Amino acid sequence: MGNSKSNGTSKGKGSSDDGCIGNRKVRTIVLSALLAAFFVFACPYPSKYSDLFKDLKDTPLGAGELLCAGAAGDTDVSCDDWITAYTLVMVGAIVCIVGCVLCVILFFIAGQEQMIGRIAGFILLIGGILYLVGWIMVMLLMRPSDDVYDLYTDDAKQQLDSALSVMFGEALLAGGSAILLGADAAFQMYENEAFRLASNLGIILAVACFCCPSYYAQMCPADPDTIGGIEVPCETPDGVAAIATGYGILIITCAAYIILYICTCLTCNCKDACLVRVLFAVALVVGGILCAIGYWASLNVDDANFDDDSLTTARTVYYIGYTFLIGGLCCVWALDIAFDDVKNNKK
């Protein structure tokens, strides 16, 4: 962690302990807590949709099956397809919770760290894959057949494509992070700082690339559209500007770090200069916090009724979890980038 050339040697496997995120125990517990909290918040969302389609399946005279096919825009889709997809998402989330708990337990059972770490790692790998596969199945079901899609207006196509892009990006952040944490628990891959930062910032970069354009597309243009000389009403949804800006900052920050990491020889290893690392860390925190603020503002939590057992409430709870996940992960990796350098400069 920190300056990778401290004391004249580059940091390699097993040499990145800075007492903070560079320390395996601290890092694993923090990441496990973040991911477990998110998946706990996420579980009601797919569960409610699964229950909805189960109820539709039981509707008399096959009316429910028609509604399920209509929701997919494809007559070949049945209610069972929707149920399977959302159940996979929920099962993946539950499996990830179990894996995160085991990741924490492994540090408190002496002599069993390697065995429990391997078990926890493989559970997280399976859970993360199931979670991603489930959401991909949901997206494929939401995408209508080509014949139906061609009937959509350009605006309707853009809205659907944007929604699917955001859905995949947000699923990738949680599922991808769980898979990487599982790989670390099983094989201690995060002991190599370069891999740890490049892989996790790579996931954040991919997520931001999927989500940023979609949220920017929801913002009203500077020059409003007009029809017959009359201005078309337009209102940017709450929080969208902050989310889009936050993701934009994350794209620039993560891409710059990864480029410098790949081109280390050409850039004289400037990514390991203290000032550069601090700037990267500050940008990560700003981008993550902006996204979190935007998501929180979009939820209108003050008006939410958490006693209401509905899809709307489940969605709100899901995005509360995602708000803490995107902000928390950015802060974690910002600490990993800069903590050691700042600490050493104070000595």
Side-chain angles (χ1 to χ4, degrees), residues 275-342:
L275 178 59
V276 173
R277 295 176 75 92
V278 170
L279 289 175
F280 275 127
V282 171
L284 263 182
V285 171
V286 171
I289 296 302
L290 266 178
C291 284
I293 291 172
Y295 277 109
W296 189 267
S298 70
L299 294 175
N300 295 317
V301 176
D302 293 338
D303 298 328
N305 180 12
F306 293 102
D307 294 326
D308 178 23
D309 188 22
S310 67
L311 280 171
T312 301
T313 302
R315 180 185 181 279
T316 299
V317 171
Y318 172 88
Y319 275 105
I320 288 175
Y322 188 84
T323 295
F324 288 106
L325 183 67
I326 183 67
L329 287 177
C330 289
C331 290
V332 165
W333 300 121
L335 275 173
D336 196 16
I337 290 173
F339 181 80
D340 203 21
D341 298 273
V342 173

Side-chain angles (χ1 to χ4, degrees), residues 208-226:
C209 287
F210 277 109
C211 296
C212 183
S214 299
Y215 279 108
Y216 265 120
Q218 297 180 40
M219 297 172 61
C220 294
D223 298 321
D225 296 329
T226 59

Side-chain angles (χ1 to χ4, degrees), residues 12 43 45 76 100 103 155 159 165 191 193 202 210 224-225 341 345:
C43 277
Y45 193 33
D76 293 330
C100 289
C103 278
D155 286 344
Q159 289 176 7
S165 179
E191 290 303 302
E193 183 208 26
F210 277 109
D225 296 329
D341 298 273
N345 271 4

Side-chain angles (χ1 to χ4, degrees), residues 105-116:
I105 290 176
L106 73 88
F107 292 106
F108 300 98
I109 301 180
Q112 301 298 320
E113 294 93 340
Q114 185 171 357
M115 182 188 73
I116 297 176

Side-chain angles (χ1 to χ4, degrees), residues 61 164 271-272 276 283 291:
L61 304 176
L164 295 179
K271 71 176 178 60
D272 287 328
V276 173
C291 284

